[in-house]
Amino acid sequence: MTTTPYHHGNLRTALVEAAVETVRERGPEGLALREVARRVGVSHNAAYRHFADRDALVDAVAERAMVELVGAVHRRLDTVDEADPVARARRRLVAIGAGYVEFALAEPGLFRLLFTAYPDAPDAEGAGEDPYGMLNVALDELVDVGYLSPKDRPGAEVTCWSVVHGFAVLNVEGPLRGLEPSDRAAALTSLLLSVDRGLGASGTWPELAPRGAPK
């Protein structure tokens, strides 16, 4: 464990940094204002001047976690370079799923905290800068290029999210957490290709396998 030094005027930032490290080490259950204040080297009363309660601190850490999750997805999306619009749309959907799982495996504590901070289902019409919104945009693109039938679009975001999130949870804290990296990558590839085939009318497309599957 390390303390987080701070300079006058940025105590809130230091507290958030310490909270992030606490979640990484101990999971969401280990996050407490007193512990975070101790790590930074201030009184808990000083911490309460910036965060009214633990829930406020959880929200701040969740915001940081969401930024990192979105970044992981964008890094995957940046690898998509297909010129064909159908191939590009399909690849983008796969990239979003791969990026989501990659973040979950790299940051299990922050991944779990996100669903502590945001227990309610997101807006199904959302298209914002979050993985669920990005998923909705990707599915709309599949409709636009003619791969996904408009009649099959309603509810597709829930299906895709459930499949990928379930895979992530099984590998982070479930019975698949002991898989060898190569086996996990193969399982993820199979899962994402199954989702792709289920959405479209065409046959198999092995080249759609995610590049650099998470370890």
Side-chain angles (χ1 to χ4, degrees):
M1 183 193 75
T2 59
T3 58
T4 303
Y6 76 95
H7 301 285
H8 181 72
N10 69 346
L11 176 56
R12 188 181 191 281
T13 299
L15 290 168
V16 173
E17 293 288 349
V20 168
E21 290 306 313
T22 299
V23 172
R24 282 174 171 154
E25 294 173 11
R26 304 184 180 184
E29 302 83 0
L31 184 60
L33 268 170
R34 284 181 179 270
E35 168 62 16
V36 170
R38 187 185 67 78
R39 285 181 175 232
V40 175
V42 298
S43 69
H44 64 274
N45 286 332
Y48 277 109
R49 295 191 189 102
H50 294 274
F51 299 100
D53 51 30
R54 181 183 181 278
D55 287 345
L57 183 60
V58 167
D59 287 343
V61 176
E63 289 176 5
R64 178 73 62 83
M66 184 62 75
V67 169
E68 295 192 17
L69 173 52
V70 168
V73 173
H74 271 301
R75 286 190 292 274
R76 288 287 182 165
L77 288 172
D78 288 344
T79 69
V80 178
D81 55 6
E82 278 75 8
D84 177 75
V86 176
R88 176 178 173 81
R90 294 173 70 184
R91 176 76 71 179
R92 284 176 62 82
L93 182 68
V94 168
I96 291 171
Y100 189 94
V101 173
E102 181 178 75
F103 174 80
L105 294 171
E107 297 284 3
L110 295 178
F111 177 72
R112 290 174 54 222
L113 180 133
L114 276 173
F115 296 94
T116 299
Y118 304 121
D120 297 326
D123 182 359
E125 300 300 322
E129 190 67 349
D130 63 78
Y132 194 71
M134 296 162 81
L135 171 60
N136 274 281
V137 169
L139 289 167
D140 289 342
E141 289 177 355
L142 287 173
V143 174
D144 292 340
V145 300
Y147 184 72
L148 174 61
S149 170
K151 68 179 179 61
D152 293 330
R153 172 63 182 89
E157 69 281 355
V158 175
T159 298
C160 293
W161 187 29
S162 298
V163 170
V164 174
H165 181 76
F167 182 86
V169 171
L170 287 170
N171 281 272
V172 168
E173 57 185 3
L176 300 184
R177 62 185 181 277
L179 281 180
E180 292 294 327
S182 60
D183 292 335
R184 177 176 292 119
L188 177 60
T189 295
S190 177
L191 178 140
L192 294 175
L193 294 180
S194 294
V195 170
D196 171 74
R197 289 192 295 268
L199 293 173
S202 68
T204 61
W205 186 24
E207 295 80 8
L208 193 64
R211 296 160 179 162
K215 300 177 181 180

